[in-house]
Amino acid sequence: MIPRSNFVVFEGVDGSGKSTQVERVTQLLRREGVLVMATREPGGCDFAESLRSLILDQDKLDPWAEAMVMAASRIEHCRTTIRPALARGEMVISDRYLGSSLVYQGIVNGIDVEEIYKLNQLSDEVIDPDLVILLDLENPRRISDQSTFEKRGEAFWFAVRDGYRELAKRFGWFTIDAEMELADITEAIIGRILEKAGSKG
Ligand code: TYD
């Protein structure tokens, strides 16, 4: 089984179980003999990992400054981690990517989504994923990390949820109900990855 949907991204609001699913799907594919590199944003390379804590600890940056730091991290992530892995023939699974910037820095921070997209395209290094999987959650009651949640509040959480839903419709992201059983979510994701691989011939 060699999926050819090589660059897969998981997106979702805080508490959607995205990182758990990245881990489960990665393990399952590896067990099937697929070479998978799992990575994350903000992060995924030395430069972006060192920016990560700086960015996440900031209470409030200027919206454009935030968008630019995210884009700069992504350029280096693509250049030094994602592109080399794809060139080696590996599948890349990223926990968050450009979709996070479109939602958090775009919709939620009030910058036009097109502008955020264009900003990220200023470097040729940034590539579009083959498949975006959105783990959608109706409400925040399942959130385990309450400190993050409380810091940003409920209105912020719902704005992110709605932003993701809007973009999923617009860009045709594969949306999964994150309230389902863990195993069922994993199965649905693997199914979509294989289906996509098949449709690419
Ligand atoms: P993290 O602690 O990794 O949260 P999660 O486990 O939910 O992924 O924090 C990542 C945070 O960074 C999250 O709140 C979304 C935000 N983010 C952006 O605002 N823009 C981006 O482009 C990316 C990649 C993340």
Side-chain angles (χ1 to χ4, degrees):
M1 180 177 70
I2 304 169
R4 268 176 274 172
S5 45
N6 284 334
F7 182 20
V8 180
V9 169
F10 286 47
E11 294 282 358
V13 75
D14 297 281
S16 58
K18 190 172 41 59
S19 308
T20 306
Q21 288 299 333
V22 166
E23 215 175 296
R24 290 174 63 94
V25 169
T26 301
Q27 296 304 335
L28 217 143
L29 287 169
R30 283 185 183 149
R31 248 181 273 140
E32 295 293 324
V34 182
L35 283 175
V36 186
M37 195 202 61
T39 185
R40 68 168 181 182
E41 287 201 354
C45 65
D46 290 346
F47 174 74
E49 285 293 337
S50 43
L51 280 178
R52 181 184 168 90
S53 49
L54 269 178
I55 304 169
L56 298 184
D57 287 350
Q58 280 288 335
D59 257 356
K60 198 72 196 133
L61 284 175
D62 168 82
W64 273 107
E66 194 177 293
M68 286 176 188
V69 176
M70 293 296 182
S73 304
R74 182 159 303 117
I75 291 167
E76 283 305 295
H77 184 207
C78 280
R79 187 180 71 82
T80 63
T81 306
I82 297 176
R83 280 184 180 271
L86 291 172
R88 291 192 300 269
E90 293 173 25
M91 182 178 179
V92 173
I93 297 185
S94 187
D95 184 343
R96 296 195 184 280
Y97 187 66
L98 179 56
S100 288
S101 282
L102 300 179
V103 171
Y104 288 82
Q105 279 68 58
I107 294 177
V108 176
N109 278 358
I111 300 178
D112 192 276
V113 168
E114 287 297 323
E115 295 295 318
I116 299 290
Y117 186 77
K118 273 194 248 160
L119 171 69
N120 279 269
Q121 296 300 315
L122 288 177
S123 163
D124 290 341
E125 294 293 345
V126 175
I127 45 176
D128 282 328
D130 295 301
L131 180 61
V132 178
I133 289 159
L134 171 63
L135 289 160
D136 178 58
L137 209 53
E138 182 63 28
N139 62 60
R141 72 165 186 272
R142 268 187 21 163
I143 292 186
S144 50
D145 184 1
Q146 286 295 328
S147 62
T148 313
F149 180 60
E150 276 157 20
K151 202 166 87 186
R152 289 159 139 183
E154 199 172 71
F156 180 89
W157 190 94
F158 281 105
V160 173
R161 184 202 70 176
D162 291 346
Y164 269 123
R165 286 181 172 178
E166 183 186 327
L167 293 192
K169 248 191 233 151
R170 182 161 154 195
F171 298 122
W173 294 343
F174 182 63
T175 305
I176 296 181
D177 177 1
E179 300 258 2
M180 295 190 318
E181 292 295 323
L182 275 187
D184 294 339
I185 298 174
T186 309
E187 197 184 313
I189 294 170
I190 295 277
R192 182 62 188 129
I193 288 174
L194 296 180
E195 190 183 71
K196 180 86 178 168
S199 70
K200 282 180 122 191

